[in-house]
Amino acid sequence: MGNSSAVELAVTVIGPDRTGIVADVAEALAKLGANLTDSTMTRLRGHFAMTLICTAPAPAEQVEAALRHLSADGQLLVTVRDVGPDESTANGGLPYLLSVHGADRLGIVAAVTRVVSDAGGNVTDLSTRLVGPLYLLVAEVDLPVGVPGPLTERLAQVADELGVEVNLRPAGADVL
């Protein structure tokens, strides 16, 4: 959108899942002339969670008012806030895919992401799933040049401590 008065907004929608939430949000934003640029949504144990970034010709308060009908029944929580232009947190590194699997236990996400952060890595996407007693974590991380080797060694130590398997590999073309 070439409109210099356009603002970038973050919109979050959380609540019990039902058919049509994505369509309802997208239609309301389209009616305002808002352009969806980035979005993610998931269903977690029957709960809907969506975050999106849009460029809108209206301020956050007006966009929130246009979405208010979605939360009228008290089921969905909808928030809108200004985020400003993209402030890159790029660390000049390359994308890697990190996966962890093993028996569920407290602290897996905290321990693994702390090791990545301490090495100068940035988690750009993270998903976890508990299937019976098996815990799975998949994350996309950006790592500075020279970090993957030492990080792989430190992750192996943490994996031993946690009793899980950890794999770190360069992200292929399938990861955007």
Side-chain angles (χ1 to χ4, degrees):
M1 292 176 61
N3 186 348
S4 62
S5 64
V7 293
E8 282 199 281
L9 304 171
V11 178
T12 60
V13 182
I14 301 171
D17 191 28
R18 66 166 172 74
T19 301
I21 298 173
V22 174
D24 292 346
V25 172
E27 286 173 354
L29 291 172
K31 285 179 185 173
L32 284 173
N35 182 35
L36 278 67
T37 56
D38 292 305
S39 65
T40 184
M41 90 43 70
T42 192
R43 192 171 156 233
L44 302 168
R45 296 189 183 184
H47 295 277
F48 176 89
M50 178 170 69
T51 302
L52 63 88
I53 304 293
C54 67
T55 305
E61 299 78 24
Q62 189 175 339
V63 173
E64 196 165 76
L67 296 172
R68 193 163 290 130
H69 71 281
L70 297 173
S71 57
D73 64 0
Q75 294 293 301
L76 294 177
L77 173 63
V78 178
T79 62
V80 180
R81 71 180 197 97
D82 288 296
V83 292
D86 185 16
E87 295 177 13
S88 177
T89 57
N91 57 11
L94 300 172
Y96 281 76
L97 190 62
L98 171 67
S99 62
V100 179
H101 69 276
D104 184 30
R105 62 168 287 173
L106 185 66
I108 293 172
V109 174
V112 171
T113 57
R114 175 54 56 204
V115 170
V116 170
S117 177
D118 288 350
N122 186 35
V123 177
T124 58
D125 192 64
L126 184 128
S127 178
T128 64
R129 177 112 18 216
L130 180 61
V131 181
L134 181 67
Y135 193 79
L136 174 65
L137 176 153
V138 177
E140 294 172 28
V141 298
D142 286 343
L143 300 176
V145 174
V147 165
L151 178 58
T152 298
E153 292 174 21
R154 181 65 185 116
L155 285 170
Q157 293 171 346
V158 170
D160 285 344
E161 294 166 10
L162 294 171
V164 296
E165 297 289 326
V166 176
N167 181 17
L168 180 68
R169 65 177 174 81
D174 58 327
V175 178
L176 294 178

